[in-house]
Amino acid sequence: MSIKTISTKPFSDQKPGTSGLRKSVPTFQEPNYLENFVQSIFDSLEDCQGKTIVLGGDGRYYNRQAIQTILKMAAANGIGRILVGCNGIVSTPAASCLIRENKALGGIILSASHNPGGPKGDFGIKYNIDNGGPAPEKVTSAIFERSKTIDNYKILEAADINLDKPGSFKLGTMDVEVIDAVAPYVKLMQSLFDFDAIKGLLTSGKFSMCMDSLHAVTGPYAKAIFEDCLGAPAGTVKNGVPLEDFGGGHPDPNLVYAHELVEVMFGNNVPNFGAASDGDGDRNMILGSNFFVNPSDSLAVITANAHLVPGYKDGLAGVARSMPTSEAVDRVAKEAGFDCYETPTGWKFFGNLLDANKATICGEESFGTGSNHVREKDGLWAVLFWLNIVAARGESVEEIVKSHWQKYGRNFYSRHDYEEVDAGKAKELMERLRSMTGDLKGVTFGNYEVEYSDDFSYTDPVDGSVAQKQGLRIGFTDGSRIVFRLSGTGTKGATLRVYLESYEPDSSKHGLDTQEALGELIKIADEIAKIREFTGRDKPTVIT
Ligand code: VG1
Ligand code: CO
């Protein structure tokens, strides 16, 4: 086995986005595209000689080939030991758990999360640091800088490793351990939640659930947890076999893409509880019978009920949410007397707050919730959290959410996505808005008066790093908000995200339809940003 140094030329487009580098599979299949980025990661690490790293992905098309290449490159770059999931499959939260439990230097996670897969779908790669969380911006910038000048990469000439079952191998001097990535994750969940109470609920004969893994990574984890440990009947986990193309679906747990689950949960005689997770297992959607839980509300309910869950019963240090996430959780924090941090979009911004014990629970409006148990958002963790709350309170999902609104008021909230619009036009729309934001204070639109407008900037309270241009916000005097930002995970054209929020303290109005309650703000958003004009669309692609 010999180490080869292969000369290469830089690609100019390897800048990681909200969560790693995401491109179409054909782009990743271009000669040296994957190798350049992986070598840029190794080159950016201060000292990786002899260290342990974790490797795995969400099982999508190209995962297997990429894993074999990365194993040989890791060996050639002096990594001492690499832990890789069986079949090269590890969910994002499980990878975070493995990095932490094995005190690894970091991990390489192959995922394009909620983006579709297959030969023409998307692929992605990201680096996580030793706390188990996504690399912060200073690390991703270093990787990008390196990718712009790279002229060679190193790879070991060797045969492929058999990843079908657990085992130990050598690649040059590097130890390769193919591991069961499910068991350590299940153990971590058992340490946090009241499995006896949840088992009691799921085997009572009075409660049924449906978990849709959307043919993505959580299938084996969900079967092990819900069916094997918690006694739910076989078949509780639907679409539980990970497929390279997710069965042709879009592994995004929202009302549009998880429509099979929506059909199961809305109607007569439906299960009491429904849940879905995304491609790499870090997102979750929670449904009750005929009831959708908005992810921002989910974060607030989880926070308000954390004392009912063993792993959190001693109280929370604080909470954090991304800026566009609704302020529902802020109200819970205020009442409970702990801090609520507002960060830019993307889990990498929560890492320092979790490490410094400033926040215990974090969440995003994009179906992401998690806690200090790992450093990623965690889909199945959120599902277990909800089941634990339901078991402890003996109420339905709908009752729990409605009584939450009764106590704290309701933050009506919706996100409108305009996917795959012309990138140039989307940029123009944002530039125009940016140039306007300074002058909007005091301006009225219908019943709303602008109180502030800015381009969100964040100074990390732990290390003082600053992230600018994180989304244009327009806040109104009654507390309503409209936020505009461009997605940093899409791979085709641009995706414009418009986030809308208003607060309603009067419980007699909590039953209103969300889009109706936000109707005037929706019109104002279009009036201010000229969305129809710039995007050429008369309605969003996805409304959450
Ligand atoms: C989206 C979400 C963001 C999330 C990110 C990664 O980013 O809005 O909240 O952290 O995806 O999630 P963007 O830049 O497209 O809005 V995942 O499950 O794709 O790792
Ligand atoms: Co994801």
Side-chain angles (χ1 to χ4, degrees), residues 22 92 111-114 278-283 377:
R22 290 196 191 162
T92 290
S111 167
S113 190
H114 54 287
D278 71 334
D280 62 332
D282 56 0
R283 296 185 179 203
K377 54 189 188 277

Side-chain angles (χ1 to χ4, degrees), residues 156-170:
L156 187 78
E157 262 192 324
D160 284 357
I161 293 280
N162 180 357
L163 299 173
D164 295 346
K165 53 181 193 307
S168 299
F169 305 90
K170 275 268 181 201

Side-chain angles (χ1 to χ4, degrees), residues 2-301:
S2 69
I3 294 174
K4 286 208 149 189
T5 301
I6 313 276
S7 61
T8 184
K9 288 204 178 70
F11 293 88
S12 59
D13 65 347
Q14 298 199 321
K15 185 176 166 55
T18 312
S19 180
L21 181 69
R22 290 196 191 162
K23 300 283 174 196
S24 69
V25 167
T27 300
F28 267 103
Q29 285 171 327
E30 279 175 41
N32 300 347
Y33 195 88
L34 172 75
E35 290 84 348
N36 274 20
F37 191 73
V38 173
Q39 188 64 49
S40 300
I41 295 175
F42 289 128
D43 289 349
S44 311
L45 301 176
E46 262 165 32
D47 181 17
C48 61
Q49 299 305 305
K51 300 277 169 64
T52 297
I53 66 166
V54 169
L55 175 63
D58 61 15
R60 66 179 58 225
Y61 186 83
Y62 203 52
N63 194 63
R64 281 176 167 270
Q65 296 90 321
I67 295 260
Q68 297 291 351
T69 301
I70 297 168
L71 283 171
K72 291 167 200 170
M73 289 186 66
N77 278 278
I79 297 293
R81 177 172 165 247
I82 195 158
L83 304 174
V84 52
C86 273
N87 299 308
I89 300 183
V90 182
S91 80
T92 290
S96 187
C97 163
L98 288 172
I99 295 169
R100 295 167 67 77
E101 287 189 356
N102 292 284
K103 302 206 171 3
L105 173 69
I108 296 178
I109 302 178
L110 305 176
S111 167
S113 190
H114 54 287
N115 299 17
K120 295 208 171 89
D122 285 341
F123 192 74
I125 174 165
K126 68 173 183 166
Y127 183 71
N128 279 28
I129 58 171
D130 60 354
N131 72 355
E137 296 225 297
K138 67 172 192 303
V139 177
T140 54
S141 312
I143 296 171
F144 178 47
E145 287 310 313
R146 179 65 192 138
S147 77
K148 291 194 278 194
T149 58
I150 190 163
D151 59 8
N152 69 71
Y153 65 85
K154 292 194 192 70
I155 189 159
L156 187 78
E157 262 192 324
D160 284 357
I161 293 280
N162 180 357
L163 299 173
D164 295 346
K165 53 181 193 307
S168 299
F169 305 90
K170 275 268 181 201
L171 263 183
T173 55
M174 182 178 80
D175 291 313
V176 181
E177 286 172 36
V178 181
I179 56 167
D180 167 4
V182 175
Y185 178 82
V186 174
K187 216 168 135 213
L188 178 61
M189 293 301 112
Q190 282 169 323
S191 75
L192 298 171
F193 299 106
D194 188 342
F195 267 49
D196 289 339
I198 301 174
K199 188 171 187 172
L201 179 73
L202 293 178
T203 55
S204 65
K206 295 187 196 119
F207 187 92
S208 62
M209 74 174 275
C210 175
M211 167 77 212
D212 191 342
S213 286
L214 297 172
H215 283 304
V217 76
T218 56
Y221 296 83
K223 277 190 195 152
I225 292 172
F226 302 119
E227 296 181 8
D228 301 345
C229 296
L230 293 169
T236 296
V237 178
K238 302 235 181 313
N239 300 321
V241 178
L243 298 177
E244 287 198 332
D245 66 349
F246 309 114
H250 201 139
D252 199 352
N254 61 35
L255 294 172
V256 174
Y257 297 125
H259 54 88
E260 217 180 297
L261 177 69
V262 171
E263 278 148 33
V264 170
M265 294 303 299
F266 287 77
N268 293 324
N269 296 322
V270 295
N272 307 78
F273 188 91
S277 53
D278 71 334
D280 62 332
D282 56 0
R283 296 185 179 203
N284 73 91
M285 176 167 73
I286 304 292
L287 301 174
S289 328
N290 295 294
F291 192 80
F292 166 68
V293 183
N294 184 289
S296 291
D297 281 340
S298 175
L299 172 64
V301 168

Side-chain angles (χ1 to χ4, degrees), residues 383-429:
V383 177
L384 284 165
F385 212 118
W386 266 95
L387 287 171
N388 200 143
I389 295 172
V390 170
R393 291 178 59 132
E395 291 172 303
S396 72
V397 170
E398 180 171 351
E399 284 164 347
I400 291 168
V401 174
K402 289 194 168 160
S403 70
H404 185 93
W405 291 340
Q406 184 93 34
K407 178 167 178 190
Y408 295 97
R410 177 171 182 188
N411 287 68
F412 280 102
Y413 184 84
S414 183
R415 184 176 103 180
H416 290 195
D417 293 329
Y418 297 79
E419 296 180 342
E420 297 183 28
V421 300
D422 181 87
K425 290 279 182 206
K427 213 171 142 208
E428 260 179 61
L429 178 153

Side-chain angles (χ1 to χ4, degrees), residues 370-521:
S371 85
N372 59 357
H373 68 292
V374 288
R375 293 294 181 274
E376 289 278 6
K377 54 189 188 277
D378 189 343
L380 293 176
W381 170 91
V383 177
L384 284 165
F385 212 118
W386 266 95
L387 287 171
N388 200 143
I389 295 172
V390 170
R393 291 178 59 132
E395 291 172 303
S396 72
V397 170
E398 180 171 351
E399 284 164 347
I400 291 168
V401 174
K402 289 194 168 160
S403 70
H404 185 93
W405 291 340
Q406 184 93 34
K407 178 167 178 190
Y408 295 97
R410 177 171 182 188
N411 287 68
F412 280 102
Y413 184 84
S414 183
R415 184 176 103 180
H416 290 195
D417 293 329
Y418 297 79
E419 296 180 342
E420 297 183 28
V421 300
D422 181 87
K425 290 279 182 206
K427 213 171 142 208
E428 260 179 61
L429 178 153
M430 291 298 284
E431 286 307 330
R432 182 179 155 275
L433 272 180
R434 191 167 283 127
S435 69
M436 285 164 59
T437 48
D439 310 319
L440 287 177
K441 189 176 160 58
V443 178
T444 57
F445 294 91
N447 292 316
Y448 294 87
E449 180 185 338
V450 176
E451 184 170 297
Y452 66 88
S453 61
D454 63 7
D455 196 345
F456 182 61
S457 152
Y458 176 68
T459 304
D460 186 299
V462 179
D463 66 13
S465 59
V466 177
Q468 279 166 328
K469 296 193 174 179
Q470 296 296 321
L472 297 165
R473 326 188 272 183
I474 301 175
F476 300 95
T477 49
D478 71 340
S480 306
R481 298 192 301 160
I482 304 176
V483 175
F484 301 87
R485 59 179 283 283
L486 296 184
S487 157
T489 57
T491 56
K492 288 192 202 93
T495 293
L496 171 70
R497 304 204 193 285
V498 185
Y499 309 80
L500 304 134
E501 172 173 13
S502 73
Y503 178 66
E504 181 54 73
D506 178 355
S507 58
S508 73
K509 296 186 183 148
H510 288 168
L512 268 181
D513 170 73
T514 303
Q515 301 306 313
E516 262 171 53
L518 295 169
E520 195 177 346
L521 281 177

